[in-house]
Amino acid sequence: MNRPPVDEAAALRRLSRELQARGLRLDRRAWLRLSVAGGASALLAGCNVTDTDGLQQVLRRISRFNDGAQAALLRPGLRAPEYSAAQLTKPFRFNAFYSEASVPEVDEASWRLEVGGRVQHADAWTLPQLRALPVVTEITRLICIEGWSAVGQWTGVPLSHFLRRIGADLSARYVAFRCVDGYYTSIDMESAMHPQTLLAHGFAGADRLPDEFGFPLRLRIPIKLGFKNPKHLVGIAVTNEFSSGYWEDLHGYNWFGGL
Amino acid sequence: MSTPGNDRPPRWVRATHWIHAASFFTLLASGWQIYAADPFWVPAFPDWATLGGSLPGALQWHFAAMWLFVANGLVAVTTLVASGRLRRLYLSVSWAGFQADVARFVRHPFDHGDGGRNAVQKLAYLGVLVVLALEVASGLSLWKPVQFQALSALLGGYEMTRRLHFAGMATLACFVVGHVALALASPQLLLPMLGLRRKAREETR
């Protein structure tokens, strides 16, 4: 990218001579066009263009536009496809921003889910209290932003039920999640109220989440990419303030992450 | 077209062609970077041929370029149909003409005859239009496999669609290799597409 332009000019002169020899002539406008084409291809050739600040800003702005496009495409009543037990992916694939050896081990007795923001009952919930709420079991496909997918079975309370139960302001724009490992993310209220969106505490038929899949409580939202399914939850807040998410802030993943 | 070799394609053909080329290569190079996050057939593509630096950057490029690619494609196809250019230049294929042109192509690959399109070229371009449509459909269903789940199911489900999207990419990439090689070997076709007029020797003689 930072090559002196001399090489390019020399190459163009050679090309011009060659073309003239074949009975072709390049005028000044033609030169200009070829230079623009050459510049564009040099710009795109293999180098990490995304590091350039201006371009980065444009790309982030388009990503925000894509958030809006996805919200417009979302049909709130449309359920993600569900699968049979025979279609389960075994073993289920682990994924996090750390290796499987570093999975946090949460002490159930001292663990609480803190509820805050625009809610009437800002309480802290224990796991038995959450388990006592009505549950739904669903077999859906988890699709990772990396491309792979895996079919799993999750059991939990629909987030829509929980939000009503805590007296959440359902006209608020976002539901934000905090995790024991420092991970955080947020989703739009419409997706939060989707019938398949669960606060899951059971996996693969067992009434307990394995440590590596988010014990004691995780969000399972089959209408969004895997990284919008935070594990090891410790906090939920209903809010009108945009708080993005871990991967979104760190690397510029698209926030909406809808499927 | 009185002297086909010297005439430039209409302005809208040149514009949509080069916008298509730019957005296609952006999608191709960023797609190769996205593929590296979870390869299934070939291991990975060389770094120098990719765009975005890593998965997040590549996804930003891919989901930005897709708008330009689709919008430009819609304009191009609409104009191709409405202007009659599609019918006149590409849908006019006969079986006898096809056989004759295949035979001629095998003997003289660079003989373009009177400058019009032969049957092999017509079918190649029509085929590419079909693959492009499949590539957009599979891309749309990978981007939104829940919202467009009927399309996703039609294409064989999410995992099958990933492979279809890859196969479509590979087909288009092969076409582009041949297309670019033939264009570079035939400046009398390449330069008019660049908007350049050929100073034909016949005129000055």
Side-chain angles (χ1 to χ4, degrees):
Chain A
M1 245 170 99
N2 296 321
R3 254 180 337 198
V6 187
D7 293 345
E8 217 166 87
L12 281 172
R13 272 197 300 278
R14 270 201 307 280
L15 178 66
S16 169
R17 273 201 299 276
E18 213 165 289
L19 290 170
Q20 273 174 20
R22 293 184 185 205
L24 300 157
R25 201 179 59 83
L26 293 175
D27 57 15
R28 237 184 12 197
R29 263 175 70 199
W31 269 99
L32 188 70
R33 284 181 201 180
L34 276 179
S35 314
V36 170
S41 57
L43 190 76
L44 289 172
C47 54
N48 185 2
V49 191
T50 321
D51 283 348
T52 317
D53 280 352
L55 264 174
Q56 179 67 66
Q57 283 212 343
V58 171
L59 288 172
R60 290 220 173 200
R61 215 168 295 153
I62 298 174
S63 186
R64 292 295 292 150
F65 169 79
N66 285 344
D67 286 339
Q70 294 174 88
L73 281 172
L74 176 68
R75 285 175 282 169
L78 183 69
R79 297 175 67 87
E82 297 196 18
Y83 299 84
S84 71
Q87 292 167 294
L88 287 168
T89 305
K90 291 175 185 172
F92 199 79
R93 188 163 169 172
F94 170 80
N95 206 42
F97 62 96
Y98 40 74
S99 76
E100 212 162 341
S102 314
V103 167
E105 286 171 24
V106 176
D107 171 39
E108 183 180 333
S110 59
W111 178 85
R112 296 287 183 278
L113 177 70
E114 287 172 17
V115 170
R118 304 176 67 85
V119 299
Q120 286 164 13
H121 315 293
D123 302 320
W125 290 67
T126 66
L127 191 55
Q129 286 173 325
L130 287 162
R131 282 200 174 121
L133 296 172
V135 295
V136 165
T137 294
E138 60 193 25
I139 300 179
T140 50
R141 183 181 296 277
L142 184 139
I143 296 176
C144 180
I145 194 165
E146 293 173 346
W148 56 269
S149 74
V151 176
Q153 178 184 322
W154 289 270
T155 302
V157 53
L159 181 60
S160 59
H161 177 92
F162 185 76
L163 288 174
R164 289 201 177 93
R165 176 72 185 261
I166 60 177
D169 171 10
L170 299 181
S171 69
R173 298 181 66 186
Y174 311 108
V175 181
F177 301 88
R178 284 186 299 113
C179 309
V180 76
D181 52 15
Y183 192 81
Y184 60 96
T185 198
S186 58
I187 61 173
D188 54 298
M189 181 60 82
E190 204 157 43
S191 298
M193 294 300 286
H194 188 272
Q196 286 168 306
T197 304
L198 307 181
L199 286 178
H201 47 68
F203 181 72
D207 61 356
R208 185 188 196 280
L209 280 181
D211 286 339
E212 67 270 31
F213 299 135
F215 180 82
L217 190 74
R218 79 172 303 174
L219 183 71
R220 174 57 196 142
I221 178 164
I223 59 167
K224 285 193 190 285
L225 288 165
F227 76 100
K228 304 301 286 188
N229 290 245
K231 301 184 277 193
H232 316 288
L233 295 178
V234 290
I236 294 184
V238 177
T239 171
N240 279 320
E241 260 164 66
F242 181 66
S243 57
S244 199
Y246 177 89
W247 289 113
E248 296 90 320
D249 287 339
L250 195 63
H251 289 308
Y253 276 161
N254 171 264
W255 171 76
F256 196 90
L259 289 172
Chain B
M1 288 207 184
S2 48
T3 50
N6 296 337
D7 275 4
R8 295 182 296 181
R11 196 177 285 272
W12 65 267
V13 170
R14 284 180 276 138
T16 51
H17 174 270
W18 290 110
I19 293 171
H20 174 84
S23 54
F24 175 82
F25 280 110
T26 305
L27 287 169
L28 186 73
S30 58
W32 286 359
Q33 178 69 62
I34 293 168
Y35 174 80
D38 186 48
F40 42 90
W41 284 339
V42 295
F45 295 93
D47 275 349
W48 59 262
T50 66
L51 175 65
S54 63
L55 179 62
L59 287 165
Q60 288 181 345
W61 278 102
H62 209 71
F63 291 127
M66 69 173 185
W67 293 111
L68 185 61
F69 186 80
V70 170
N72 181 66
L74 288 175
V75 170
V77 170
T78 307
T79 323
L80 266 174
V81 173
S83 67
R85 191 178 171 88
L86 184 73
R87 189 170 38 79
R88 188 161 46 83
L89 296 185
Y90 298 101
L91 292 178
S92 46
V93 192
S94 74
W95 177 237
F98 177 72
Q99 284 173 311
D101 284 336
V102 168
R104 194 164 59 103
F105 177 74
V106 170
R107 285 196 307 273
H108 314 287
F110 298 111
D111 174 12
H112 289 278
D114 59 358
R117 285 156 189 77
N118 65 46
V120 179
Q121 289 172 310
K122 288 175 185 177
L123 286 179
Y125 285 108
L126 287 173
V128 157
L129 277 184
V130 173
V131 178
L132 282 169
L134 277 173
E135 200 62 356
V136 169
S138 59
L140 191 62
S141 113
L142 286 179
W143 186 47
K144 294 283 156 268
V146 173
Q147 302 311 315
F148 300 121
Q149 53 187 271
L151 179 63
S152 181
L154 188 73
L155 295 171
Y158 175 79
E159 287 292 341
M160 180 60 80
T161 308
R162 288 181 74 197
R163 281 141 185 94
L164 278 178
H165 200 59
F166 188 97
M169 173 282 292
T171 309
L172 292 172
C174 289
F175 172 84
V176 166
V177 169
H179 179 76
V180 170
L182 288 169
L184 289 176
S186 324
Q188 76 273 20
L189 299 178
L190 171 63
L191 292 168
M193 187 54 95
L194 280 163
L196 308 178
R197 250 179 239 285
R198 184 182 176 195
K199 285 278 169 186
R201 282 183 177 154
E202 302 88 287
E203 284 174 10
T204 50
R205 232 177 247 162

